[in-house]
Amino acid sequence: MLDQIALRAELADHYDLAPSTDLAAEMSGIYARMDRVVAPPDWAVFAPYVAAINRLKAERNAVILAHNYMTPEIYHGIADVVGDSLQLAIEATKVEADVIVQCGVHFMAETSKILNPAKTVLIPDMDAGCSLAESITAEGIAEMRAKYPGAPVVTYVNTTAEVKAASDICCTSSNAAQIVRGIEGDTVIMTPDKYLAQNIAQQVPEKRIVWWDGSCIVHEQYTAQDLRDFREWNPGTRIIAHPECPPDVVAEADYSGSTSGIIDYVTAERPEKAMLVTECSMASNISDALPDVDFVGPCNMCPYMKKITLEKVLWSLHRMEGAVEVDPAVADKARVAVQRMIDLSRKLSG
């Protein structure tokens, strides 16, 4: 647990972090990417942190990878690469910087470390976990293998390194159908997200898909009745759901896809009104790029993603704290599963 009082005192000794309207005005180009969702007084607070982090990145030869669920001041203000889990995994293999700062949750930082064992990988808050990743262990994988002998294990990247190491291949929500369809075997074990597995089973009916009983605390909260009620209250809204939602929710949606798929869909379709059935920051991060789209409706916030803040990113780079380590033996096995995903995804896409 970070000592916030001591952290702030030390940062104040090294950086001028007082809210500044002058600095906010100087950085208007960055602010233009988020001014639809970030109020000017808030930007005056964020701007000194953004400026300090961006200077420190250059000094440390660091790159910041940020998931689509990060808040706008991180997503637009300091990130060098943004994307979904697959995009970040692929980009992690291309990184030339000495230091990777992972703005996301712990399993994402582990994945970056697995793919870049010689680099320093930092996560600004070690407590940024994931309910889905915590729902399964390597023992759970062994249990599924015993229950379905010979069936390959396709594991969602939202898992620990130990679970990846115990699996045959990884997948993300954007390539899961491709991976399951392309892997050998009539029966496929999918872990740990039961709803993603059930939704993929409908897309790949030629395979028998069995799954672990795990779910995401953000997406499992949505119900099909919520969507029906919203359509009645606000007709004409395009409803777009993440495949970690229950199948009846996905069935009620106009489109379902990964976070990158959602961005591509809304960008191409430009609906007058859109409801994103996923984590809250998704709509915020694409609002300014799509001023003609009115993002409406409820959203659920991920408490783990929101542990990552500008203050913690600055502290992590300042102190070089939050280094993620993975046992080399585990990393070697996990790297095989992640690399198989990347290679098969590229092959099937090509």
Side-chain angles (χ1 to χ4, degrees), residues 51-256:
I53 291 166
N54 286 336
R55 285 196 303 271
L56 202 50
K57 275 196 305 185
E59 293 174 16
R60 302 288 198 220
N61 190 22
V63 62
I64 293 179
L65 308 185
H67 191 266
N68 291 327
Y69 292 161
M70 287 293 99
T71 51
E73 66 273 13
I74 291 174
Y75 187 91
H76 293 295
I78 62 172
D80 298 291
V81 178
V82 296
D84 63 13
S85 297
L86 176 60
Q87 290 169 320
L88 296 183
I90 291 173
E91 290 303 318
T93 67
K94 304 175 184 177
V95 167
E96 296 182 358
D98 296 323
V99 179
I100 296 172
V101 181
Q102 196 83 36
C103 289
V105 291
H106 195 272
F107 76 79
M108 296 178 183
E110 277 194 335
T111 302
S112 289
K113 183 64 177 178
I114 288 165
L115 295 172
N116 296 275
K119 296 184 184 296
T120 298
V121 177
L122 306 176
I123 185 164
D125 191 328
M126 282 288 188
D127 291 330
C130 172
S131 61
L132 188 55
E134 292 164 6
S135 73
I136 190 167
T137 63
E139 289 74 23
I141 298 290
E143 179 183 324
M144 292 295 284
R145 287 192 187 278
K147 192 173 181 180
Y148 302 99
V153 176
V154 177
T155 288
Y156 203 17
V157 291
N158 300 35
T159 47
T160 64
E162 287 80 6
V163 169
K164 290 182 177 72
S167 307
D168 295 300
I169 190 170
C170 289
C171 75
T172 69
S173 54
S174 60
N175 66 14
Q178 273 189 324
I179 298 294
V180 170
R181 189 176 288 116
I183 199 168
E184 293 184 5
D186 296 326
T187 298
V188 176
I189 299 166
M190 288 192 71
T191 68
D193 193 312
K194 62 183 176 183
Y195 295 133
L196 177 65
Q198 290 165 22
N199 287 317
I200 296 303
Q202 295 185 24
Q203 296 178 47
V204 191
E206 66 271 24
K207 300 273 189 176
R208 177 195 180 205
I209 298 176
V210 294
W211 53 81
W212 183 260
D213 188 19
S215 59
C216 166
I217 60 171
V218 169
H219 296 100
E220 69 178 351
Q221 296 180 56
Y222 294 103
T223 69
Q225 190 59 50
D226 289 339
L227 272 59
R228 288 191 289 268
D229 290 344
F230 191 84
R231 282 193 195 279
E232 184 176 345
W233 172 67
N234 203 336
T237 298
R238 200 80 61 89
I239 297 180
I240 304 150
H242 194 280
E244 289 176 23
C245 293
D248 59 345
V249 171
V250 170
E252 286 290 335
D254 297 296
Y255 172 81
S256 176

Side-chain angles (χ1 to χ4, degrees), residues 309-330:
T309 64
L310 288 175
E311 184 177 63
K312 291 177 183 176
V313 174
L314 180 58
W315 175 259
S316 185
L317 273 171
H318 170 71
R319 276 291 195 97
M320 293 299 288
E321 283 194 2
V324 174
E325 300 295 342
V326 181
D327 179 90
V330 173

